[in-house]
Amino acid sequence: MTPLLRQVLGQVNSPDPRLNEIVSALVTHLHAFVEEVRPTEREWIAGLDFLIETGRMCTPERNEFILLSDMLGLTSAVDDVNHAGPKNMTPSSVEGPFHSPAPERDLGAWISFGPERERGMPTVVHGRVLDCDGTPLADAQVDLWQANDTGLYDTQDETQDKGNLRGLFTTDADGRYWFRTIRPSSYPVPTDGTGGKLLHAIGRHPMRPAHLHYRVTAAGHRTLTTHVFLAGDPYLDSDAAFAVKDELICHPVAHDDGGEQWDIDAPYEEIGFDLKLVPDDWTEEKA
Ligand code: BEZ
Ligand code: FE
């Protein structure tokens, strides 16, 4: 440890020991970064200017720092350290910046009401919400959101009605949920801010593989925020938000006819995705 770092750490004296731990570790890692990279003064100021510009991009509707955190894999890293659970649980995955309150809808409802419904592949999504031991969870709330076929959420796009491609469903007595929508498409994360500048500067693309977002709540269980991704998507191995986990990839089934069972016109696709929630009182020791 350098004398300078020792001096800085010696002045971290909050009555809150956790705050001391966090600040001390952060300062230690940043000093190690400076020792390793030896930035010039111009480079250091350019880094600080980048953070200032990031702050200026932020509004109540848009948080460029979260986007940066997503793009650097940090949101996923924080998610991983906070969501340990039984092996068979459905893994969590980043929330992303586009969640907003969804309209309550009946099971089976369409969530797509804009012109994308004419352009997109009709898709039925169904599954069950279960405890990790397989017990169905009735009355669970399944909150869903997805982008349209041009990659925009209703909150980003004046041409979509609010609530388009969103829905809040309540599972039935067998823990089942289902709804009708259009097949999600891969899309770019917003690139008009510092996040986009960084991606461009380091030669990365901004694409996210096609996905649906879920936030599932059930009494006595941890809330699960996650995604389902579609197998075959070209961006599964290079998600701009590093949110893909193998257990979250599902294989859509294409149907050229039929569809009466779901009241959907063929051709259509079917996505089946069960979600296994962790009991509130789960601990590593109990496992
Ligand atoms: C999203 O899927 O909505 C998203 C997640 C992380 C960064 C940007 C967008
Ligand atoms: Fe998304």
Side-chain angles (χ1 to χ4, degrees):
M1 183 185 304
T2 63
L4 174 62
L5 176 58
R6 186 170 302 114
Q7 217 184 346
V8 178
L9 293 180
Q11 295 186 25
V12 178
N13 281 318
S14 165
D16 175 351
R18 177 65 173 160
L19 183 61
N20 287 335
E21 183 185 355
I22 291 171
V23 173
S24 299
L26 183 63
V27 169
T28 303
H29 284 277
L30 288 173
H31 276 249
F33 168 81
V34 171
E35 288 283 309
E36 181 191 329
V37 175
R38 308 188 76 78
T40 64
E41 280 156 341
R42 269 177 74 164
E43 286 168 339
W44 187 250
I45 295 297
L48 297 182
D49 283 345
F50 180 84
L51 295 179
I52 292 169
E53 198 184 335
T54 302
R56 290 210 176 106
M57 286 295 300
C58 294
T59 66
E61 287 77 42
R62 173 164 184 173
N63 189 326
E64 194 72 4
F65 280 108
I66 295 186
L67 194 57
L68 273 182
S69 164
D70 295 342
M71 288 173 174
L72 295 177
L74 290 166
T75 312
S76 280
V78 173
D79 187 59
D80 286 346
V81 297
N82 281 287
H83 293 275
K87 274 203 186 62
N88 57 352
M89 71 175 184
T90 301
S92 58
S93 170
V94 308
E95 177 169 308
F98 298 119
H99 179 263
S100 77
E104 283 185 37
R105 303 194 193 279
D106 292 334
L107 288 175
W110 279 94
I111 63 168
S112 161
F113 299 99
E116 76 283 343
R117 176 125 153 225
E118 302 303 319
R119 300 186 299 245
M121 170 60 80
T123 299
V124 59
V125 183
H126 62 88
R128 291 205 295 169
V129 178
L130 306 162
D131 185 280
C132 286
D133 68 6
T135 311
L137 298 176
D139 294 324
Q141 300 268 291
V142 181
D143 186 352
L144 280 141
W145 65 106
Q146 73 170 94
N148 73 2
D149 57 329
T150 67
L152 292 173
Y153 288 87
D154 60 345
T155 45
Q156 297 173 288
D157 180 5
E158 306 249 298
T159 71
Q160 292 184 52
D161 289 339
K162 293 296 157 253
N164 191 40
L165 295 165
R166 295 180 192 272
L168 182 63
F169 297 91
T170 303
T171 56
D172 69 13
D174 297 322
R176 289 185 195 284
Y177 72 92
W178 74 282
F179 61 96
R180 291 167 290 171
T181 185
I182 55 149
R183 186 188 222 274
S185 313
S186 43
Y187 67 83
V189 298
T191 53
D192 56 340
T194 45
K197 269 192 193 169
L198 181 66
L199 288 187
H200 183 71
I202 62 175
R204 269 177 57 190
H205 71 69
M207 297 302 289
R208 298 218 60 214
H211 59 271
L212 290 160
H213 293 268
Y214 285 75
R215 187 196 277 175
V216 187
T217 49
H221 291 76
R222 286 193 211 154
T223 296
L224 171 65
T225 301
T226 195
H227 291 51
V228 60
F229 295 94
L230 305 193
D233 189 286
Y235 299 108
L236 282 175
D237 291 332
S238 60
D239 179 8
F242 300 99
V244 179
K245 295 176 179 168
D246 287 348
E247 302 89 325
L248 304 178
I249 300 174
C250 106
H251 291 259
V253 181
H255 296 273
D256 290 330
D257 46 34
E260 297 80 12
Q261 179 196 356
W262 306 107
D263 193 15
I264 201 166
D265 290 335
Y268 72 99
E269 290 192 1
E270 183 183 347
I271 295 175
F273 187 58
D274 289 346
L275 298 115
K276 289 196 177 148
L277 270 55
V278 181
D280 272 335
D281 61 357
W282 184 88
T283 57
E284 209 115 16
E285 297 80 62
K286 275 193 184 180

